[in-house]
Amino acid sequence: MRIDILTILPDLLQGPFSDSIMQRAQDKGHLELHIHNIRDYTEDKHNRIDDYQYGGGAGMVMSIQPISAVIEKLTAERNYDEIIYMTPDGELLEQSTCNELSLLKNIIILCGHYKGVDERIREHYITREISIGSYVLSGGELGAAVLVDSIVRLVPGVLNDETSALTDSFQDQLLSPPVYTRPPEFNGWKVPEVLLSGDFGKIEQWREEKALERTKQRRPDLLEE
Ligand code: ADE
């Protein structure tokens, strides 16, 4: 899968992708990540990428020209399945969205800043708008990092068996059950007996019960869907 991220803060995006699973996904060829600095595409003589909003009002707006230039360049080179804009007024990111996007071949992700991007970008280029939660970030970069991480870990081959995505919370509309590792007792705090029993039928049943109990307590909304 190829992902192109368009940003005015490329350095902010280096960290999340240069460690652990995201780095391995790139090393193994499952993820081809390209980070583009929007400022490199401006034709403004002062290198500006934003401007005052028409009609007045506080806050700058990201200009159409440099964003259009980078999108036009990329889409001339290959077909993109989605051109996504990270914005607090987009659709809320859900596991089902991640599953869907993980099947795509090429996507562009545009990170907004300030008051947002010129609306004509959204009208003419953007195919999908995504929010990572009902709060406002300083820019779309952290949202893009969350989105890419949640998608790429679902691409077949990225996770090994031990970290398989199939047993994640949300994958079956349930939260994950509690997990334990050695030692069996610490400070007098014991691991549930059933997990040490070796009876895999019982263990599976216990996990299902706990997953359901946890979901009922913490996220009853998931059970209503
Ligand atoms: N940009 C600013 N806030 C955001 C959010 N909640 N989700 C995605 N992009 C954003």
Side-chain angles (χ1 to χ4, degrees):
M1 155 173 238
R2 175 182 169 125
I3 301 181
D4 291 85
I5 305 183
L6 320 185
T7 172
I8 59 168
L9 297 174
D11 291 347
L12 197 54
L13 283 165
Q14 298 299 342
F17 301 113
S18 51
D19 260 311
S20 181
I21 291 170
M22 289 303 119
Q23 182 60 57
R24 212 178 58 221
Q26 292 171 82
D27 295 344
K28 289 206 281 181
H30 297 299
L31 169 65
E32 191 184 333
L33 183 69
H34 297 266
I35 297 171
H36 306 269
N37 189 346
I38 292 169
R39 205 177 290 277
D40 292 344
Y41 292 82
T42 179
E43 286 166 7
D44 180 84
K45 57 179 184 292
H46 303 295
N47 259 351
R48 294 187 52 169
I49 40 78
D50 60 351
D51 215 329
Y52 297 101
Q53 55 174 308
Y54 277 126
M60 306 297 279
V61 175
M62 289 173 74
S63 305
I64 191 166
Q65 180 274 318
I67 295 173
S68 168
V70 54
I71 293 177
E72 291 287 351
K73 174 183 175 288
L74 291 172
T75 52
E77 289 167 354
R78 68 194 63 74
N79 284 325
Y80 283 89
D81 302 298
E82 296 279 12
I83 304 181
I84 298 169
Y85 176 47
M86 301 309 300
T87 176
D89 59 5
E91 62 174 295
L92 265 187
L93 182 61
E94 300 280 357
Q95 190 63 38
S96 55
T97 327
C98 305
N99 292 346
E100 203 182 302
L101 295 176
S102 73
L103 302 173
L104 302 181
K105 199 156 162 259
N106 301 318
I107 61 180
I108 291 175
I109 303 175
L110 170 63
C111 305
H113 266 266
Y114 323 117
K115 278 277 157 200
V117 298
D118 189 305
E119 188 67 18
R120 290 166 291 181
I121 297 276
R122 299 170 73 160
E123 282 169 12
H124 298 286
Y125 292 116
I126 299 299
T127 59
R128 196 155 183 171
E129 305 193 327
I130 293 179
S131 162
I132 65 158
S134 305
Y135 43 81
V136 179
L137 302 165
S138 316
E141 284 75 11
L142 296 179
V146 167
L147 178 64
V148 173
D149 185 295
S150 63
I151 294 172
V152 170
R153 59 191 297 285
L154 299 172
V155 173
V158 168
L159 297 187
N160 48 38
D161 268 357
E162 288 155 51
T163 49
S164 163
L166 292 174
T167 56
D168 285 343
S169 280
F170 303 111
Q171 212 47 277
D172 48 9
Q173 297 292 79
L174 286 178
L175 301 182
S176 294
V179 292
Y180 299 86
T181 186
R182 288 185 293 181
E185 184 172 343
F186 181 83
N187 276 353
W189 306 326
K190 290 192 176 135
V191 172
E193 204 64 50
V194 57
L195 295 179
L196 312 175
S197 68
D199 182 336
F200 291 104
K202 265 201 190 141
I203 292 173
E204 200 39 50
Q205 199 189 340
W206 180 87
R207 285 184 172 148
E208 279 168 21
E209 279 165 21
K210 289 291 168 188
L212 191 59
E213 188 181 304
R214 202 160 253 204
T215 311
K216 271 186 191 153
Q217 278 167 0
R218 300 178 182 205
R219 292 292 306 275
D221 57 298
L222 292 176
L223 299 169
E224 284 156 22
E225 280 167 24

